Amino acid sequence: MAKIGVFVCHCGENISATVDCHKVAETAAKIQGVEYAVDYKYMCSDPGQTLIKDAIKEHGLTGVVVAACSPRMHEPTFRKATADAGLNPFLSEMANLREHCSWVHDKGEVTTQKAIDVVRTMVAKVKHNAPLEMIKVPVTKRALVIGGGVAGIQAALDIANAGHPVVMVEREPSIGGHMAQLSETFPTLDCSQCILTPRMVEVAQHPLITLYSYSEVIGLDGFVGNFTAKIRKKAKSVIEELCTGCGMCTTKCPQKKISSEFEQHLGVRPAIYTPFPQAVPNIPVIDRDNCTFYLKGKCRICEKVCATNAIKFDQEDEIIDVEVGAVVIATGFDIKRADFFPEYGFGKYKDVIDGLQFERLASASGPTQGAIRRPSDGTVPKKIVFIACAGSRDPAKGIEYCSKICCMYTAKHAMLYKHKVHDGEATIFYMDIRAGGKNYEEFVRRAITEDDANYVRGRVSRVYEKNGKLIVKGVDTLLNAQPIEIEADMVVLATAAISNPGAESLAQTLHVSYDAHKFFAEAHPKLKPVETNTAGIMLAGACQAPKDIPESVAAASGAAVKVCGLFSKDELTREPLVAIVNRYPGPLYSTCVGCFMCQPVCPYNAIEREEIKDRSGKVIKALAYVNPGLCQGCGTCVALCRSKSIDINGFSNNQMYEEVVALFNT
Amino acid sequence: MSSAHVVHKKGSLMEEMLDQRHLTVQKCYQCGKCSAGCPVSEDMDYPPSVIMRLVQTESKANEDKALRSMTTWLCVTCETCATRCPMEIDIPGVMDFLRERSLQKGITNPGAKNIISFHKSFLDSIKQTGRLFELGLVAEYKLRSLQMGQDVNLVPSMLSRGKLHFIPEVIKGRKNMLSIFKKTLKKGGKK
Amino acid sequence: MKLGYYPGCSLKGTSIEYKESVKAVCKAFDIELVEIPDWNCCGATAAHNLNKELSLSLPARILALAEREGLTDIVVPCAACYNRLSVVQYELNEHKDLRNRVIEIIEMPYKGTSTVLNVVQLIQKYMVDKLQYKLVKPFNYKAACYYGCLLVRPHNVLNFDRVENPQSMDDIIRQIGGTPIDWEYKVECCGAGMSVSRTDLVAKLSGKIIKDADDRGAECFIVACPMCHSNLDMRRPDINKYLDKNVDSPVLYIIQAIGLAVGLSEKELGLQRHFVPVNLPERPKSIETFDPFLATQSKGE
């Protein structure tokens, strides 16, 4: 016989202002099966919780309904109180009188009546609640970090320094990411490589970090604490164990004119190459699309000059499985490139370049050893126009958002240019200057006042070439939109920061969500900024949204803490509100007929095949089995099951049915 | 600019443009790309982006400035602004609206007299015959604008090249044309 | 091959040579143009400058007439008319309220299902693949293909070619043996309807266009719009005065260039009617060495 307790909360005046709480309790007391009903000003307060605990003990309650706020708010509170009184916590339910009733209706009879109805449904449900136990799963204390830019490096080092092994996967031949390409960094103007390369070396030398460069994650199975990652190690055509990184092969390679990705196509590299001298690992790869041997079957010079016989032309891609307990995605960002700005002639004129290209020009290790020179003819530009918001904040081009980093790096570019070309003129067309960061505004002001950067508020409409000059047609919106025409030697576009081209497919591989712009989506924009909706998968850096270096590093450390928190326990517990396929004694075993229609619809790959065997080992029946570690309790399989063999714990078909029926039986 | 920023939300031009023509002036964030690309902006009293701002303020005084401006009449509807506008605002559509409204209110810019005369002569010509009668247009325009001497030297060479005709083509659906003009020009459109 | 045809007022008057050349070249390619009966003026700039509903109704009547005659593809050589017809069909398809109001005004059924073709599309669709058999006199000149506004903008409506650096006419010129120049004023405005009321403005805007092409060695201009033509051609004295220079490169409609290449006479194409004389030097190019198919590979940007 059910003995239900109903506890009606006033929530100060949040509920009681429109709902007659006393009447709700009074009426609830008369519902069949209700043993005890009471109303109280703050049920979540200590005295309120004591009231519940005492009633459970005193009246020997078998179920609890707290009629208060949303379960999102206080369900854990009341479940704990219930457990403290010795009752299974899953025998406690909440009736939402605040968000679903008092806040959305005016004061009156009907509002109170609705509150009573809501309580009635929950009483009907709780009568059919079964005691449930938390699910426990073991934890593999090894993390996978995808991406070896500054965010990935920070996350990997933080996790490894906390004592947990880390597997880092980097798509390119070297780690370092975009930060390795930058010249100096704002707002301090310290050299990017100088602060990054020591961290890269630390990764390479850390005993707990395994680095797979030139590799990609191609699959991820399992669930929080228990993932299996599939990694493709692309063939470098170089045996890593034998290579000493002497650089003989890259020096002798006759194919020297291949456009360098790292130099943003302003420089060249050989066919066997490391992207840059400080590469980590310092092991070259052969670019098979451009290598003479692969193209024509002749050459093999690298093989001849290699003292350790490390060249292996017939090396194949290798696919390995790695067990990990958590994943940090740190795949970074990209920028919009040519063809996106026909009005600026980007892609048509060599001297219209993007911000990353300017970084390479300004970098001491870049193609010009840090001299600012025009890509077209190598002369030093005397007039540069920088165009901010090139593609950002531009719904017509499909990008509504602010790329966040451009204001700062454009100010830095102007500054670097003025430091290198003293008589040069730098004009910056901007819409707003967004310099919200520590010492950022001061930095921009310095560019304007000390380095004489000419800031013009307005957008450029067109750039075209005439007699070797780039004619920039802009406007000064602070002077009645006065037209401005500048004959520039070079134009630098602060092109929009966008998600990495491979982000979408990676998100699908990892089963994590992403936004309309293919940036990875955080679980909560404010309170869970470094976690994804998939438990155990974290985010770090600009793969989530455009971020600068300090922000990327901060997020990476945040993600690392989340991983370490996960690894601080030997077992994980989670709510048992998962799907379950019914089981009976033989010869029925289950009403499941083994059609496995549920399998393809499960978004979490949680449905497995279980075989019932007789003593001789012969399979008598094949049944669906829901892996409770993977199941998120979404209920898709329940809706699809033709034999009605699947239920969700805590939200069974029967419970739902009773709730609905209770509404009609007033 | 003391009284310039009084806000009249209801019945403002911006609101009317949105309701009647799906024109989204409120989206403008003053980047100035329209003014920068406009081939005639340097001849305008208010470049296009300033017109957008005047309308955005929803102040009667500023709306009046936009309506009385020369800008709308200098706009050649080349659509360069709309093509490059990051906010996809139909700026030429805004100009159309302002022109029409300033005509209705009789507050067109005095400098636009010739341009308006030309447009009106043009419409008069097709209203009568259904098709443009260029000689008639020129004659009427000259009467309206009193630009008697202009382009006279072109006439003989146009004639010799067979480019001017003395007899207008008249279409059969004249009644239909007259009724179209009557229905559309009935509100305002002072002659 | 029969196609619907809307000449528009310009082709009947000041741009009579455009009509002559379109007709002559279509004839050479066995295309019969069926004129929309009793067509009216599209209203041009004047209508949409003064009255929105009028500017929608005039083109709608034309499209309704074409529908009544069962003409599905309508060739509109005048870029201004092409633009108005396309824009109005788009607007009336987008906004039901406007469409209903316009049907009320024109008192005719209107569906808005016509395919409106500009002259470049006519050439691309019905002439280009026959060019190799018909080419007798390659158009061996450095040409500045000038697209102006009305052929390419508004891009979301017309969806024709690239909006900032269009290539369609350049490709055609290459196919008839010409050399299109790479220049920067392809889609700048010539001053359009200001020709009579603000000649000073036209001289300035068109002057910049003429200057850029001339600086880059253009021998002639190729256009597809009667307004562009008359501004660059008839207003040349004003332009030259503005530029303080004597630029005498002729302005040809693209259809005239095709006509010359397939062997039509200057008279058939109405070249004698231009203000800037068309005195292109004889410059034969061996047809054997010229392969129009190779020429179709445009260089891109």
Side-chain angles (χ1 to χ4, degrees):
Chain A
M1 195 48 204
K3 286 181 171 179
I4 312 296
V6 177
F7 302 88
V8 184
C9 178
H10 293 212
C11 196
E13 284 198 337
N14 274 305
I15 297 172
S16 61
T18 51
V19 171
D20 183 345
C21 293
H22 189 67
K23 190 176 171 198
V24 173
E26 236 176 43
T27 317
K30 292 175 198 150
I31 301 172
Q32 198 192 358
V34 173
E35 177 76 16
Y36 176 73
V38 68
D39 60 303
Y40 186 70
K41 201 157 178 97
Y42 288 108
M43 216 47 102
C44 59
S45 67
D46 249 4
Q49 290 189 46
T50 311
L51 193 136
I52 297 173
K53 289 182 209 170
D54 290 348
I56 292 173
K57 288 179 200 153
E58 200 176 309
H59 298 276
L61 299 180
T62 61
V64 170
V65 172
V66 184
C69 53
S70 160
R72 288 194 75 137
M73 187 82 198
H74 271 310
E75 193 173 70
T77 313
F78 296 120
R79 286 222 162 120
K80 190 172 173 298
T82 308
D84 286 349
L87 201 59
N88 183 290
F90 292 95
L91 297 176
S92 157
E93 290 285 354
M94 289 190 73
N96 189 346
L97 296 197
R98 196 177 71 175
E99 284 84 345
H100 285 184
C101 195
S102 69
W103 276 359
V104 290
H105 299 300
D106 297 329
K107 183 175 181 165
E109 281 279 300
V110 271
T111 306
T112 302
Q113 189 52 49
K114 176 175 173 180
I116 293 167
D117 287 344
V118 173
V119 170
R120 194 196 319 280
T121 60
M122 290 325 288
V123 170
K125 184 188 178 197
V126 82
K127 282 186 202 167
H128 295 85
N129 274 22
L132 300 170
E133 294 306 322
M134 294 297 276
I135 298 171
K136 290 191 170 128
V137 283
V139 182
T140 307
K141 295 186 181 178
R142 184 186 300 114
L144 169 68
V145 174
I146 309 173
V150 65
I153 289 171
Q154 181 73 26
L157 287 173
D158 283 355
I159 297 167
N161 287 338
H164 305 295
V166 173
V167 172
M168 178 185 272
V169 177
E170 165 59 49
R171 182 168 60 178
E172 301 298 324
S174 169
I175 60 171
H178 284 310
M179 188 173 166
Q181 293 176 297
L182 308 183
S183 51
E184 272 81 31
T185 55
F186 60 79
T188 43
L189 291 191
D190 43 353
C191 152
S192 182
Q193 287 216 339
C194 310
I195 54 177
L196 181 68
T197 43
R199 305 289 276 165
M200 290 162 59
V201 173
E202 232 181 295
V203 167
Q205 293 178 346
H206 204 293
L208 288 177
I209 299 179
T210 312
L211 172 60
Y212 295 117
S213 58
Y214 211 45
S215 303
E216 282 172 335
V217 175
I218 55 168
L220 187 76
D221 286 327
F223 50 93
V224 54
N226 299 272
F227 294 108
T228 306
K230 214 174 256 313
I231 297 165
R232 169 183 283 129
K233 293 178 68 186
K234 289 180 277 185
K236 292 182 172 174
S237 314
V238 173
I239 302 166
E240 289 174 278
E241 296 74 21
L242 296 179
C243 176
T244 60
C246 71
M248 204 59 167
C249 53
T250 54
T251 336
K252 296 289 182 190
C253 177
Q255 186 64 266
K256 285 199 166 36
K257 297 269 178 190
I258 301 159
S259 179
S260 163
E261 300 82 359
F262 182 81
E263 299 294 358
Q264 294 293 300
H265 305 286
L266 294 176
V268 291
R269 62 162 171 84
I272 182 164
Y273 72 106
T274 53
F276 51 102
Q278 302 83 354
V280 169
N282 186 19
I283 295 168
V285 300
I286 297 181
D287 167 9
R288 294 188 178 183
D289 294 336
N290 288 300
C291 166
T292 316
F293 174 71
Y294 287 100
L295 292 175
K296 297 188 179 144
K298 279 187 198 153
C299 184
R300 289 181 172 263
I301 289 175
C302 50
E303 193 181 35
K304 285 180 205 113
V305 299
C306 180
T308 57
N309 292 324
I311 307 292
K312 191 170 192 293
F313 289 113
D314 58 355
Q315 197 179 51
E316 286 177 6
D317 288 2
E318 196 187 332
I319 292 178
I320 53 171
D321 283 343
V322 181
E323 306 285 326
V324 294
V327 180
V328 177
I329 308 173
T331 50
F333 71 108
D334 199 359
I335 55 165
K336 269 285 178 196
R337 287 164 207 270
D339 257 20
F340 196 63
F341 306 95
E343 71 271 41
Y344 296 158
F346 191 31
K348 186 176 177 190
Y349 311 124
K350 279 185 170 172
D351 297 326
V352 178
I353 61 174
D354 61 48
L356 263 182
Q357 290 178 313
F358 190 86
E359 294 286 347
R360 292 316 298 152
L361 287 181
S363 168
S365 66
T368 56
Q369 281 82 46
I372 307 294
R373 292 183 184 283
R374 307 212 311 171
S376 63
D377 56 8
T379 57
V380 176
K382 291 294 177 191
K383 267 188 194 180
I384 299 191
V385 168
F386 296 91
I387 302 179
C389 288
S392 310
R393 305 172 67 196
D394 194 333
K397 291 199 192 294
I399 298 177
E400 310 84 347
Y401 58 83
C402 163
S403 291
K404 203 174 185 183
I405 53 177
C406 331
C407 284
M408 292 308 297
Y409 79 60
T410 299
K412 178 191 76 180
H413 286 171
M415 232 183 227
L416 292 177
Y417 169 62
K418 295 287 284 193
H419 293 175
K420 286 168 194 266
V421 183
H422 299 302
D423 58 341
E425 274 178 42
T427 303
I428 295 132
F429 283 95
Y430 73 101
M431 292 208 297
D432 298 288
I433 302 175
R434 298 187 168 173
K438 194 170 178 178
N439 294 322
Y440 283 14
E441 173 65 16
E442 299 92 313
F443 182 80
V444 175
R445 287 298 135 200
R446 221 170 88 205
I448 297 168
T449 54
E450 288 176 30
D451 291 311
D452 196 26
N454 175 29
Y455 271 73
V456 180
R457 196 204 171 277
R459 216 165 190 165
V460 170
S461 177
R462 183 129 193 266
V463 176
Y464 64 90
E465 181 266 335
K466 189 132 194 186
N467 303 329
K469 296 275 183 190
L470 293 163
I471 315 296
V472 180
K473 286 183 75 181
V475 75
D476 190 335
T477 57
L478 302 181
L479 287 175
N480 194 35
Q482 192 178 81
I484 298 181
E485 217 169 273
I486 297 178
E487 284 190 14
D489 299 307
M490 189 192 262
V491 172
V492 183
L493 306 180
T495 60
I498 54 167
S499 59
N500 241 325
E504 188 175 15
S505 74
L506 181 65
Q508 286 163 357
T509 303
L510 303 178
H511 304 290
V512 298
S513 40
Y514 51 94
D515 67 19
H517 296 288
K518 316 280 192 295
F519 283 111
F520 290 92
E522 61 282 336
H524 188 283
K526 291 164 194 105
L527 302 178
K528 289 185 173 180
V530 297
E531 292 158 87
T532 66
N533 272 325
T534 308
I537 303 186
M538 321 301 171
L539 298 175
C543 65
Q544 179 190 3
K547 284 188 168 76
D548 59 17
I549 295 168
E551 241 192 307
S552 295
V553 170
S557 286
V561 166
K562 289 289 165 190
V563 171
C564 292
L566 201 64
F567 290 177
S568 68
K569 302 177 198 120
D570 295 323
E571 273 184 336
L572 300 176
T573 56
R574 47 189 300 252
E575 285 201 336
L577 305 179
V578 295
I580 174 165
V581 183
N582 63 29
R583 288 292 184 271
Y584 297 105
L588 181 62
Y589 300 107
S590 168
T591 56
C592 170
V593 294
C595 70
F596 292 102
M597 294 278 281
C598 48
Q599 228 168 14
V601 299
C602 175
Y604 307 99
N605 293 328
I607 295 173
E608 294 164 9
R609 188 185 171 90
E610 185 184 326
E611 291 176 342
I612 310 280
K613 293 174 182 165
D614 68 8
R615 278 181 197 152
S616 64
K618 201 180 125 207
V619 177
I620 321 169
K621 201 167 180 182
L623 302 174
Y625 167 75
V626 180
N627 183 328
L630 289 175
C631 177
Q632 301 290 322
C634 73
T636 312
C637 57
V638 180
L640 209 91
C641 180
R642 297 188 298 176
S643 60
K644 300 271 169 270
S645 307
I646 319 182
D647 248 334
I648 304 264
N649 279 338
F651 292 93
S652 68
N653 281 334
N654 186 29
Q655 284 172 304
M656 299 296 109
Y657 180 74
E658 290 297 333
E659 271 191 51
V660 176
V661 168
L663 274 182
F664 294 111
N665 294 341
T666 41
Chain B
M1 295 281 283
S2 55
S3 65
H5 276 78
V6 185
V7 174
H8 298 266
K9 216 154 169 55
K10 272 268 170 256
S12 69
L13 283 184
M14 189 159 77
E15 197 193 43
E16 275 188 65
M17 285 191 213
L18 182 64
D19 289 352
Q20 295 170 20
R21 302 269 175 96
H22 315 277
L23 296 166
T24 51
V25 181
Q26 73 281 4
K27 278 191 186 172
C28 175
Y29 57 9
Q30 287 295 307
C31 73
K33 204 174 182 182
C34 50
S35 300
C38 177
V40 279
S41 72
E42 55 190 35
D43 293 278
M44 290 171 166
D45 42 359
Y46 302 110
S49 57
V50 180
I51 291 283
M52 304 298 279
R53 185 66 199 138
L54 287 171
V55 173
Q56 263 184 347
T57 60
E58 296 185 297
S59 104
K60 288 287 172 230
N62 284 339
E63 287 179 347
D64 205 57
K65 281 183 189 166
L67 289 170
R68 288 176 192 273
S69 80
M70 191 57 199
T71 299
T72 54
W73 299 102
L74 286 177
C75 165
V76 283
T77 324
C78 73
E79 301 264 356
T80 305
C81 50
T83 302
R84 295 182 187 151
C85 174
M87 291 314 232
E88 299 172 286
I89 303 167
D90 178 7
I91 302 161
V94 173
M95 298 297 172
D96 279 348
F97 183 96
L98 292 173
R99 274 190 286 255
E100 203 176 314
R101 179 57 55 89
S102 66
L103 269 175
Q104 282 169 6
K105 295 180 91 170
I107 52 170
T108 54
N109 189 295
K113 201 173 141 260
N114 286 358
I115 295 169
I116 298 169
S117 298
F118 180 78
H119 290 325
K120 283 188 173 168
S121 310
F122 189 103
L123 289 185
D124 272 357
S125 169
I126 59 175
K127 181 179 168 186
Q128 302 305 328
T129 58
R131 293 179 191 171
L132 181 65
F133 176 45
E134 280 152 332
L135 208 57
L137 160 69
V138 172
E140 192 185 332
Y141 167 67
K142 284 180 185 298
L143 281 175
R144 277 179 185 269
S145 64
L146 302 174
Q147 301 280 314
M148 290 307 187
Q150 193 199 333
D151 289 338
V152 190
N153 53 339
L154 275 175
V155 174
S157 46
M158 287 187 82
L159 283 172
S160 73
R161 285 171 171 80
K163 284 174 176 261
L164 280 184
H165 303 270
F166 288 102
I167 303 158
E169 286 189 22
V170 182
I171 68 168
K172 284 186 234 143
R174 265 183 79 187
K175 268 195 180 156
N176 190 207
M177 287 300 286
L178 282 171
S179 124
I180 289 174
F181 272 83
K182 216 172 128 195
K183 285 183 188 167
T184 50
L185 292 179
K186 64 166 191 274
K187 331 168 197 167
K190 292 200 341 190
K191 282 267 150 178
Chain C
M1 171 61 61
K2 268 190 189 179
L3 293 171
Y5 170 54
Y6 174 74
C9 308
S10 290
L11 271 71
K12 290 277 178 173
T14 45
S15 305
I16 185 163
E17 72 273 23
Y18 195 13
K19 185 185 78 177
E20 290 169 339
S21 53
V22 166
K23 290 219 151 170
V25 174
C26 279
K27 199 173 157 210
F29 281 82
D30 301 317
I31 297 164
E32 191 192 331
L33 297 177
V34 183
E35 196 166 314
I36 297 172
D38 208 42
W39 56 266
N40 54 276
C41 171
C42 73
T45 317
H48 78 78
N49 265 355
L50 302 188
N51 187 289
K52 174 86 176 177
E53 284 185 349
L54 183 64
S55 76
L56 293 172
S57 304
L58 292 173
R61 181 177 183 269
I62 300 163
L63 293 166
L65 286 170
E67 284 172 14
R68 192 159 77 188
E69 290 300 308
L71 301 167
T72 51
D73 289 38
I74 310 161
V75 176
V76 186
C78 168
C81 302
Y82 159 73
N83 190 284
R84 286 310 304 159
L85 260 55
S86 306
V87 168
V88 166
Q89 181 159 292
Y90 176 86
E91 282 201 47
L92 297 186
N93 283 342
E94 284 288 295
H95 305 297
K96 267 241 150 66
D97 49 337
L98 292 179
R99 174 201 285 243
N100 293 338
R101 172 74 186 131
V102 163
I103 290 176
E104 222 174 271
I105 294 170
I106 64 172
E107 296 166 354
M108 279 165 120
Y110 169 83
K111 290 203 288 284
T113 49
S114 306
T115 305
V116 180
L117 295 173
N118 62 43
V119 77
V120 182
Q121 287 166 324
L122 168 74
I123 295 166
Q124 285 174 331
K125 222 169 154 181
Y126 300 103
M127 297 181 183
V128 159
D129 52 354
K130 295 189 190 128
L131 270 176
Q132 56 170 323
Y133 310 114
K134 300 205 178 268
L135 205 62
V136 294
K137 190 183 162 201
F139 187 79
N140 190 9
Y141 306 103
K142 286 175 85 177
C145 293
Y146 173 59
Y147 297 76
C149 320
L150 298 162
L151 218 49
V152 289
R153 290 188 295 258
H155 188 60
N156 61 330
V157 175
L158 304 176
N159 232 330
F160 172 70
D161 209 332
R162 291 192 281 194
V163 70
E164 292 289 351
N165 186 7
Q167 292 292 329
S168 51
M169 289 208 283
D170 295 60
D171 282 345
I172 292 169
I173 289 300
R174 254 179 230 118
Q175 285 175 48
I176 57 172
T179 312
I181 63 159
D182 188 14
W183 63 310
E184 298 297 345
Y185 276 73
K186 275 181 168 180
V187 291
E188 294 291 318
C189 180
C190 67
M194 299 278 181
S195 187
V196 177
S197 50
R198 283 295 297 269
T199 314
D200 58 321
L201 216 54
V202 167
K204 184 161 97 179
L205 298 181
S206 295
K208 288 180 181 172
I209 294 163
I210 300 256
K211 182 172 188 313
D212 190 60
D214 192 53
D215 287 349
R216 293 173 203 258
E219 293 172 287
C220 63
F221 289 87
I222 300 294
V223 300
C225 169
M227 288 211 280
C228 299
H229 190 275
S230 72
N231 279 344
L232 297 187
D233 181 57
M234 191 175 80
R235 294 294 174 196
R236 189 66 64 91
D238 303 275
I239 291 167
N240 280 342
K241 205 152 111 204
Y242 168 81
L243 293 177
D244 195 18
K245 202 175 173 188
N246 189 34
V247 183
D248 60 358
S249 40
V251 188
L252 278 79
Y253 290 104
I254 180 130
I255 201 81
Q256 290 175 322
I258 300 228
L260 288 174
V262 300
L264 296 180
S265 73
E266 297 198 356
K267 184 122 195 281
E268 283 171 290
L269 298 168
L271 291 180
Q272 78 285 0
R273 299 187 193 273
H274 291 194
F275 283 80
V276 180
V278 187
N279 293 326
L280 290 167
E282 280 295 317
R283 196 181 297 155
K285 189 172 188 176
S286 151
I287 294 176
E288 287 75 50
T289 58
F290 174 69
D291 181 350
F293 271 123
L294 279 179
T296 53
Q297 326 276 314
S298 76
K299 285 177 199 137
E301 282 183 30

